[in-house]
Amino acid sequence: MYNDAVQQIGVIGLGTMGANIARNAARNGAQVAVFNRTTEKMETFLSLHGKEGRFIKCKTLEELSAALKPPRVVLLMVSAGSAVDLTLEELLSQLEYGDIVIDGGNSHYRDTERREELLGKRGIRFLGLGISGGEQGALEGPSMMAGGSHDAFNIVEPLLRDMAAEDGEDGKCVAFMGKGGAGHFVKMVHNGIEYGVMQLIAESYDLLRGFGANSAEVSRIITSWLQGDLQSFLMETTAKVLARKEDESGSFLVDLIKDSAGQKGTGRWTTEAAMLYGTAIPTITAAVDARFLSQLPEERMRRSKTFEAATVPDGLDVREAPELFRTALTAATLLTYSQGFELLSRASHAESWGLPLVSIARIWRGGCIIRSPLLKIFQHAYGGTSEDMKRERQAIINRLSGENLKAIRRTVASAVSRGIPVPSFSATLAYYDSIRASRLPQNLIQAQRDAFGAHTFERTDKSGSFHVNWN
């Protein structure tokens, strides 16, 4: 199946994701040495899943190192941040030249680059492996984005391929992204897109409630959208969540959940990266802002009693609303993907990564959280012959015109009229109108900058930089 080096793998960290990744590897024929800082958790893991494959119980990192044949392959599944550095510091003394360490957590791509350089000085190969798919995907087949040592990836790729999800084209959802932090960067952008699409779905849910639909009706409407372009993992999850009732009260569980959303940081990192690389991703940024605002429940409750809504009639028929919102959600989701791919393209150029955009679109079609039929459009838009790419990019434009575009405008207009916040829908529409505008009002901003700071400006009728004494 594989060479001897990757018939074995060590897994450090047996939380939800780590435990399921370890089980996945064992189910696919690998002998898995497992270690957890809390020995009790490892014992529980083995009592529950020890018969699913070949596991080796390791109570110390020394035992884990001894259990693996050189070159050792060790997968870290610990929390991003200082826990990774601490684990690496303890692990290094147990590794030898040529061994491979894989960080499978949601690490920041700059941290991955730093760690690769650190381990490289010891002759240890390092991979930053973005893993998407959640608890179920980790066990049954995730999407995996690798970056760092290409030599290390070539060694572990056979096992990763067996563990990965199907891509729908007789391939697997795993690929090498490029040097350094490329793999974790792509995973970060994946999560940013995830933030944007989740917020758009949540706003659609809120709009339907604003038009008088109760939880049962919203559940039925969202379920009816599970076809065509909206047949995605996130939509399927939404339909399942909305339909769930609490056993005790019989109430829909979502109605009992506090409206304060958490985050692990990858969405914020995505907006920070967009600023670094000079790329606009307003849908994603608005989604991050929405989570920040949700974390102020007391302030929002207080202001709801004093701030006037001042709504105005919008003329939208309640019977027309569900189909309108479905069309708007489809178009806005497409634009969110577009923003993500634009960020990938800009960062790839700036960092000289050579990100394989075609492969990224392909491996996101299975296993991962944002998997959707819409990704096939991007796969073809970035690959194939020039005519194929031209045709597919025109297809994207066609989907953002006519009734689809009007649906977003009418959705935003209706929400504004009724005082329903739709930050990501609004940002998406502004993004579209900005990228299609032949002239933006930033000429005034340049004049302002020159007036108070002598920053100079360019002209449309002459070449060069100019400054005027505006006083």
Side-chain angles (χ1 to χ4, degrees):
M1 188 182 298
Y2 332 108
N3 63 39
D4 287 342
V6 289
Q7 284 183 326
Q8 288 188 315
I9 188 169
V11 176
I12 298 177
L14 295 173
T16 301
M17 289 292 290
N20 281 355
I21 283 289
R23 294 169 64 194
N24 186 339
R27 289 179 176 187
N28 281 284
Q31 186 179 57
V32 184
V34 293
F35 169 81
N36 195 83
R37 193 172 296 276
T38 305
T39 304
E40 183 180 354
K41 179 175 284 189
M42 180 184 62
E43 298 284 3
T44 301
F45 169 81
L46 290 172
S47 68
L48 292 173
H49 309 296
K51 295 182 180 180
E52 294 181 11
R54 298 181 296 158
F55 293 104
I56 304 174
K57 178 172 66 174
C58 303
K59 294 184 178 180
T60 65
L61 292 178
E62 291 85 351
E63 289 183 10
L64 182 134
S65 176
L68 300 172
K69 299 177 182 178
R72 301 170 183 83
V73 178
V74 180
L75 173 62
L76 307 185
M77 295 298 297
V78 300
S79 300
S82 59
V84 178
D85 291 317
L86 177 62
T87 303
L88 285 175
E89 183 178 341
E90 296 176 353
L91 181 64
L92 273 175
S93 63
Q94 307 302 319
L95 299 178
E96 299 175 354
Y97 186 93
D99 286 347
I100 297 169
V101 176
I102 307 170
D103 177 8
N106 274 331
S107 291
H108 193 281
Y109 69 104
R110 293 301 190 202
D111 287 338
T112 299
E113 292 172 343
R114 171 176 56 80
R115 290 163 184 154
E116 183 187 17
E117 182 179 1
L118 174 67
L119 269 65
K121 293 177 180 178
R122 302 280 295 271
I124 297 168
R125 294 168 287 188
F126 189 74
L127 278 177
L129 185 67
I131 301 175
S132 178
E135 179 181 355
Q136 181 179 358
L139 178 62
E140 299 178 358
S143 176
M144 293 183 276
M145 299 139 262
S149 168
H150 202 174
D151 180 49
F153 178 74
N154 289 336
I155 292 173
V156 301
E157 181 183 13
L159 175 58
L160 296 182
R161 285 182 60 83
D162 282 348
M163 294 171 63
E166 302 284 344
D167 68 359
E169 296 184 350
D170 298 323
K172 286 303 194 80
C173 294
V174 58
F176 185 74
M177 300 290 103
K179 65 182 181 179
H184 275 143
F185 185 88
V186 173
K187 174 56 164 58
M188 179 191 74
V189 174
H190 164 284
N191 284 23
I193 295 171
E194 177 186 314
Y195 273 56
V197 176
M198 288 177 69
Q199 179 64 25
L200 289 168
I201 295 172
E203 290 174 15
S204 301
Y205 154 78
D206 204 23
L207 283 164
L208 290 169
R209 293 198 310 163
F211 272 76
N214 59 33
S215 294
E217 291 167 336
V218 172
S219 178
R220 286 195 296 270
I221 292 168
I222 294 292
T223 300
S224 73
W225 291 355
L226 293 178
Q227 53 187 328
D229 290 336
L230 286 182
Q231 187 182 12
S232 67
F233 174 78
L234 281 173
M235 285 298 295
E236 291 167 1
T237 300
T238 302
K240 178 172 64 177
V241 165
L242 288 171
R244 180 66 179 268
K245 290 186 177 181
E246 187 185 47
D247 293 335
E248 294 180 13
S249 65
S251 300
F252 284 93
L253 184 56
V254 71
D255 293 336
L256 304 176
I257 297 176
K258 188 176 180 180
D259 62 334
S260 183
Q263 54 183 306
K264 293 292 183 69
T266 47
R268 175 173 54 82
W269 293 348
T270 306
T271 64
E272 291 171 349
M275 293 178 185
L276 175 64
Y277 299 115
T279 308
I281 54 167
T283 307
I284 296 168
T285 301
V288 175
D289 287 343
R291 295 201 189 188
F292 289 146
L293 288 168
S294 77
Q295 292 165 5
L296 304 171
E298 291 80 12
E299 289 89 336
R300 289 188 287 109
M301 181 61 70
R302 185 177 66 253
R303 289 164 185 158
S304 70
K305 299 175 181 178
T306 58
F307 283 29
E308 184 182 1
T311 60
V312 296
D314 62 0
L316 181 61
D317 191 306
V318 66
R319 294 168 296 182
E320 185 184 5
E323 180 60 22
L324 180 72
F325 300 155
R326 183 197 66 79
T327 304
L329 176 58
T330 304
T333 300
L334 186 65
L335 280 165
T336 306
Y337 284 122
S338 295
Q339 293 168 39
F341 276 98
E342 180 65 19
L343 175 55
L344 290 172
S345 179
R346 293 283 187 91
S348 179
H349 178 74
E351 301 289 343
S352 299
W353 281 330
L355 292 179
L357 299 181
V358 177
S359 293
I360 292 171
R362 178 184 62 79
I363 68 173
W364 282 355
R365 288 180 56 191
C368 72
I369 301 300
I370 66 170
R371 59 185 184 263
S372 160
L374 291 172
L375 285 161
K376 188 172 185 178
I377 302 172
F378 291 93
Q379 184 181 347
H380 293 161
Y382 289 107
T385 66
S386 59
E387 285 300 315
D388 290 338
M389 290 189 288
K390 183 179 179 181
R391 182 176 60 253
E392 291 300 326
R393 289 176 183 178
Q394 184 60 47
I396 294 175
I397 295 172
N398 292 342
R399 287 169 179 259
L400 298 173
S401 60
E403 294 304 314
N404 294 331
L405 178 59
K406 290 179 182 178
I408 299 182
R409 292 200 189 284
R410 294 185 65 196
T411 295
V412 172
S414 179
V416 171
S417 297
R418 293 169 180 258
I420 301 173
V422 286
S424 281
F425 268 120
S426 300
T428 304
L429 179 58
Y431 171 78
Y432 176 84
D433 283 336
S434 294
I435 61 174
R436 71 169 187 83
S438 61
R439 186 168 175 81
L440 292 169
Q442 272 62 38
N443 56 320
L444 176 58
I445 290 176
Q446 280 301 92
Q448 292 169 334
R449 294 180 71 239
D450 189 58
F452 64 67
H455 292 293
T456 75
F457 55 88
E458 294 179 304
R459 295 175 58 125
T460 60
D461 57 344
K462 298 178 183 179
S463 299
S465 297
F466 298 88
H467 167 62
V468 170
N469 183 353
W470 296 91
N471 294 324

